[in-house]
Each structure stands twice: as C-alpha cells, then as structure tokens.
Amino acid sequence: MLFHVSEEPGIERFDPRPSPSAGGAVVWAVNRERLRNYLLPRECPRVTFFAGPNASAMDVERFLGASPAVIAVEAAWLDRIQATRLFVYSLPESTFECVDECAGYYHSKQSVTPTKVEIIDDLPAAIIATGAELRPVPSLWPLHDAILKSTLSYSIIRMCNAAARTKG
C-alpha cells in the first residue's frame, strides 16, 4: 500500500498533475516506511534522516543517537504542527512506480482512487508512533548543512519555507 498525505478532506480521486521533476503529469505517493516524513503540514520545512546501508557508526551516534529516524523541524512551526489535521489516503500500488528509493517516492501517470482514508489529529504522536523522533530545532540550516556532508540517508523537504540563514 502507498499513501498520499493531504490537509484536504474528501478527495475521491487523485488525477495526475504537472510535475517538472517527474517530466509530466503524475500522482505522487510515498511508501509506509517514509510516511513518517509527511505527517506534518505540507509547507513545513524539515530535515529527515536515518541510517541507510552506507551510514558510518560515527554519524549514527552523532546525529541519531538511539533514534532509528529523525524528523527535524523548526521550533517556530510547533504550534502549526499541533493544530493541523491530516488526511492519509491509502492508494493501491498497481499503477505506481518507484522513483526514489531513499525518499520512498512513487508516481503514477494514471488517476488513482483511494481505498481508505485515515484522519490524524495529533501529528507529533503519529510521528512518534512510527518509531521516529520529532526533533524541534531553532534553525534547520546547521543541521541541513551537516546532514548533507554525512553518510546518513536523508530527505530534505520545503527548505524554501525555512527561516532565513543567520550569519555566523
């Protein structure tokens, strides 16, 4: 099963939409393992990471500690995260193809009808229930830069909405 997360209730059919990164119109979905990265408001910037097969023990200890995965968000977003309701649509896999294994991204060039929808009112609890750590930080930029240089697997989402970098 694949998933599409939205702040919009009552979606009865997902039709392909233009996507420059996909080279045409597609329906996007994510697999169960990476669903944790999307249990946030759509526009929320985040740095997500986990120990993939090439992760060094030093990076795992430095960035993850005892956590299997981390979703880091700016602390300034916490009120919005706590106030947001999400709708997690279950989608059949039959017309989807994997386009990014690390991020868990899939797309379909055909319209897709959801088989079920789950409403999530407590996003922090839903993230924790996946086994991931929700880690609020004052700024995402130092972590962003460090994760890019690390050996961890990562997905960095909506950084265009992050607070501006500070000099220093």
Side-chain angles (χ1 to χ4, degrees):
M1 191 60 63
L2 297 173
F3 304 92
H4 186 97
V5 181
S6 178
E7 292 175 48
E8 186 179 329
I11 300 174
E12 295 181 8
R13 186 176 81 181
F14 290 92
D15 292 316
R17 292 183 177 181
S19 173
S21 64
V26 297
V27 174
W28 285 94
V30 65
N31 65 19
R32 182 174 302 283
E33 189 173 6
R34 301 294 177 260
L35 177 61
R36 63 187 181 226
N37 296 345
Y38 296 90
L39 299 177
L40 292 164
R42 177 179 170 83
E43 298 303 325
C44 180
R46 65 207 89 153
V47 175
T48 72
F49 49 95
F50 64 98
N54 299 318
S56 73
M58 188 170 73
D59 282 345
V60 169
E61 183 177 326
R62 177 179 175 202
F63 293 105
L64 291 166
S67 299
V70 170
I71 292 116
V73 298
E74 292 176 334
W77 276 81
L78 286 176
D79 287 343
R80 185 163 171 196
I81 290 167
Q82 292 170 341
T84 298
R85 169 183 268 186
L86 291 179
F87 300 86
V88 179
Y89 294 90
S90 297
L91 305 175
E93 295 181 39
S94 59
T95 63
F96 285 89
E97 63 181 67
C98 181
V99 293
D100 186 329
E101 183 90 24
C102 178
Y105 292 153
Y106 290 73
H107 69 224
S108 172
K109 294 180 180 183
Q110 298 177 29
S111 295
V112 182
T113 301
T115 57
K116 120 180 164 176
V117 63
E118 177 184 357
I119 300 169
I120 300 180
D121 289 314
D122 186 342
L123 307 187
I127 290 169
I128 292 166
T130 70
E133 174 189 345
L134 179 61
R135 186 180 293 173
V137 295
S139 169
L140 286 172
W141 290 109
L143 183 59
H144 167 277
D145 296 345
I147 291 296
L148 288 178
K149 295 175 185 172
S150 79
T151 59
L152 298 177
S153 295
Y154 61 86
S155 186
I156 297 174
I157 302 164
R158 300 276 194 245
M159 286 301 288
C160 62
N161 297 330
R165 285 182 184 263
T166 56
K167 293 184 180 183

